[in-house]
Amino acid sequence: MDVYEAVDTRRAVRAFSDEPVPRETLERVLTAATRAPSSGNLQPWHIYVVTGEPLADLKRRATARAMAGDPGDERDYPMYPADLTSPYLDRLSTAATQRYAALGVDRDDPDRPRKIATLNSGAFGAPVVLFCYLDRTMGPGQWGDAGMYLQTVMLLLRAEGLHSCPQVMWTMYRRTVSQVVGADDRLALFCGVAVGHEDQGVPRLRTNRADMTETVTFIGL
């Protein structure tokens, strides 16, 4: 698979099969991903790979919180700006409607927030979740580095025939995650990334993207 194909076929998959992912595959991906860009070569990411019974335990504990209507832990950072405006708000709303309609959660369902939280807390059935932490002393530049690192990981997963879904939702249950992975208080949870083989029996969703001309300006060409 070349880079263009990996980029084109990478999607946030929200339905995984229970087919296991070999450790050697994950090690190959994460070893290659160490070459991701990093300003000053700080390599600020701390990754915990969780699978098997520890992941099952984490899913149970997080799902119990979701089912109980637990609003979650105090956030280390906001998922989205409070004053989000168009066109960003429009894109967010459209994508959310498409995403969960494909999973059978209607936008007008009064129980929608809890259903969405429950789907997320189960990592959509993924057999592996990677949790990415950063030292709390790091700034916006290093958070940007972590994003580039995770994109590198997700593209390498595609090269292995795997899919993924980045999940900021896990920050809602960050204390529960930290208890399971053993991360200490000096680390802040950036997100989780569900990893596995796509469940072929669930309808696929490919959200739209803005046309390149809406986000790119050429100067001097």
Side-chain angles (χ1 to χ4, degrees):
M1 182 181 295
D2 68 19
V3 177
Y4 280 91
E5 184 180 359
V7 171
D8 186 57
T9 59
R10 189 215 62 80
R11 295 178 293 111
V13 167
R14 290 180 172 82
F16 293 89
S17 75
D18 59 3
E19 182 179 348
V21 178
R23 174 170 176 153
E24 54 267 28
T25 301
L26 296 170
E27 289 184 344
R28 186 163 53 247
V29 165
L30 295 171
T31 297
T34 62
R35 302 307 307 176
S38 174
S39 179
N41 202 31
L42 297 188
Q43 305 166 71
W45 43 82
H46 297 262
I47 306 299
Y48 295 86
V49 183
V50 187
T51 187
E53 181 52 33
L55 180 58
D57 177 50
L58 175 56
K59 288 180 179 181
R60 285 192 294 266
R61 294 165 66 176
T63 299
R65 294 184 65 178
M67 292 289 288
D70 188 333
D73 302 319
E74 181 182 357
R75 297 294 186 90
D76 279 325
Y77 69 95
M79 188 178 297
Y80 303 106
D83 55 351
L84 199 63
T85 59
S86 182
Y88 315 111
L89 184 60
D90 302 331
R91 294 170 185 164
L92 174 64
S93 178
T94 299
T97 299
Q98 294 175 340
R99 180 181 308 139
Y100 292 104
L103 294 173
V105 181
D106 189 78
R107 182 170 185 170
D108 298 323
D109 185 341
D111 203 31
R112 183 173 183 265
R114 190 172 68 168
K115 288 181 178 178
I116 290 173
T118 302
L119 286 167
N120 273 280
S121 62
F124 305 106
V128 179
V129 179
L130 314 180
F131 291 99
C132 179
Y133 284 80
L134 288 91
D135 193 295
R136 293 182 185 277
T137 61
M138 296 296 151
Q142 289 72 56
W143 286 73
D145 283 352
M148 290 188 283
Y149 169 81
L150 291 177
Q151 173 74 339
T152 302
V153 169
M154 289 186 284
L155 293 178
L156 289 166
L157 289 169
R158 286 301 302 124
E160 296 285 350
L162 295 165
H163 279 284
S164 61
C165 181
Q167 294 181 274
V168 176
M169 178 285 309
W170 284 108
T171 62
M172 293 175 58
Y173 307 127
R174 62 184 178 84
R175 297 189 190 283
T176 301
V177 176
S178 293
Q179 289 168 1
V180 171
V181 304
D184 61 41
D185 290 341
R186 69 186 175 86
L187 298 178
L189 178 59
F190 178 23
C191 70
V193 180
V195 176
H197 296 272
E198 184 176 15
D199 183 347
Q200 300 296 326
V202 176
R204 294 185 179 186
L205 172 67
R206 186 177 176 88
T207 54
N208 297 327
R209 290 292 190 266
D211 187 83
M212 183 268 292
T213 58
E214 294 183 39
T215 58
V216 177
T217 301
F218 289 95
I219 300 172
L221 294 176

